[in-house]
Amino acid sequence: MSDISSVEQLEALYGLPGETSLVKELDHIIPEYAAFIEASPFVSLATSGPEGLDCSPRGDLAGFVRIHDARTLMMPDRRGNNRADSLKNIIRDPRVALLFLVPGSGTTLRVNGRARISVDTELCASFAVECKPARSVTVIDVDAVYFQCARAIVRSELWNPERHVDPKSLPTPGQLLAVTSRESIDGDAYDREWPERARKSMW
C-alpha cells in the first residue's frame, strides 16, 4: 500500500485548486449564501474535543438556523438523547464546521467558524416551537462560508426517489440496541414505543 504523507505529494497528485474553488470562499454571509441557509431544514455539525471528533445531524423547519448578521449564525438545540457530544466539544474547543443541505438541490453550503452556547432566556424563547423554547442556542461566529458544487449529490443520486432504500431492508433502532446492549434492552419493545415517544419529544 502506498500512502501520501505530505502536502507536496497530495498537490502533485491533484494539482492546485482553480480560481472558482478559491473565489467562492468569503468571511461573511452574502444574500446569495443566505438563501441556502434559509431554505435548509438539515445541517451536519462537526466539532472537535479531547475525546475526538463528532459529526451530528441537526434538523428542524426550513430556515431553523437563524442569520443574526453577516458574521453570525444562531442554531437552536432541541430535545434529544442528552449525550450532548457536540455541545461538550464546543465548550472545550469552539471550532465548528457546518454543511447545509437543501432537498432537491445539488449545491450545498459550508460554514466554518467558532461557536459558543447561550442559554439566554429571551434568545431561547425566540426559537420556540409548539410553545417550547430551545434548550440552548449555539451562536456561531463565521470565519469562512462557501458553496460546494453538486458533484457529490449528483453522483449519489441523493434526491432520486428510485434510489431510496426501503427502511424495512435495514436493521431497526431496536434491533441495533438489542445487539449493542447484548440483549439488555428489549429491541422489540423499543421499536413499538418509539413512534409515540418521538411524537412527545419532537420539540
Side-chain angles (χ1 to χ4, degrees):
M1 180 181 296
S2 298
D3 297 336
I4 290 178
S5 58
S6 71
V7 173
E8 291 75 18
Q9 289 176 312
L10 188 66
E11 290 178 344
L13 177 63
Y14 283 91
L16 297 176
E19 180 184 10
T20 57
S21 296
L22 300 175
V23 71
K24 63 185 178 183
E25 182 176 334
L26 303 174
D27 64 358
H28 62 284
I29 301 164
I30 57 176
E32 291 79 3
Y33 284 168
F36 285 91
I37 296 172
E38 292 166 349
S40 175
F42 181 88
V43 61
S44 292
L45 170 65
T47 59
S48 176
E51 288 80 28
L53 304 176
D54 182 74
C55 186
S56 297
R58 294 288 189 272
D60 216 320
L61 301 176
F64 73 100
V65 176
R66 181 182 300 170
I67 302 171
H68 179 67
D69 57 45
R71 295 294 302 273
T72 312
L73 296 176
M74 296 179 170
M75 181 167 57
D77 193 68
R78 308 289 183 192
R79 294 186 63 177
N81 58 19
N82 293 331
R83 283 183 56 119
D85 294 321
S86 299
L87 303 184
K88 291 174 184 175
N89 280 349
I90 288 171
I91 289 171
R92 296 171 293 182
D93 184 341
R95 294 175 299 168
V96 297
L98 299 95
L99 175 68
F100 290 89
L101 293 178
V102 178
S105 172
T107 300
T108 61
L109 192 76
R110 299 174 61 171
V111 175
N112 297 329
R114 290 155 291 110
R116 60 188 185 278
I117 302 166
S118 174
V119 290
D120 179 84
T121 302
E122 291 186 7
L123 181 59
C124 290
S126 74
F127 283 94
V129 176
E130 302 275 325
C131 298
K132 296 179 181 178
R135 298 182 78 177
S136 65
V137 176
T138 301
V139 182
I140 301 155
D141 297 324
V142 174
D143 290 330
V145 54
Y146 54 98
F147 75 91
Q148 187 79 32
C149 71
R151 289 188 184 90
I153 301 296
V154 171
R155 282 194 289 256
S156 70
E157 297 191 57
L158 184 63
W159 310 125
N160 182 356
E162 296 182 1
R163 295 292 188 182
H164 288 182
V165 175
D166 182 355
K168 294 179 181 178
S169 70
L170 300 171
T172 67
Q175 289 169 337
L176 293 169
L177 286 170
V179 171
T180 58
S181 70
R182 298 181 182 179
E183 306 299 332
S184 66
I185 292 176
D186 184 335
D188 290 337
Y190 183 92
D191 285 336
R192 286 195 305 271
E193 297 165 2
W194 165 247
E196 180 63 16
R197 186 166 60 249
R199 185 188 65 80
K200 290 181 178 179
S201 65
M202 184 65 70
W203 308 110

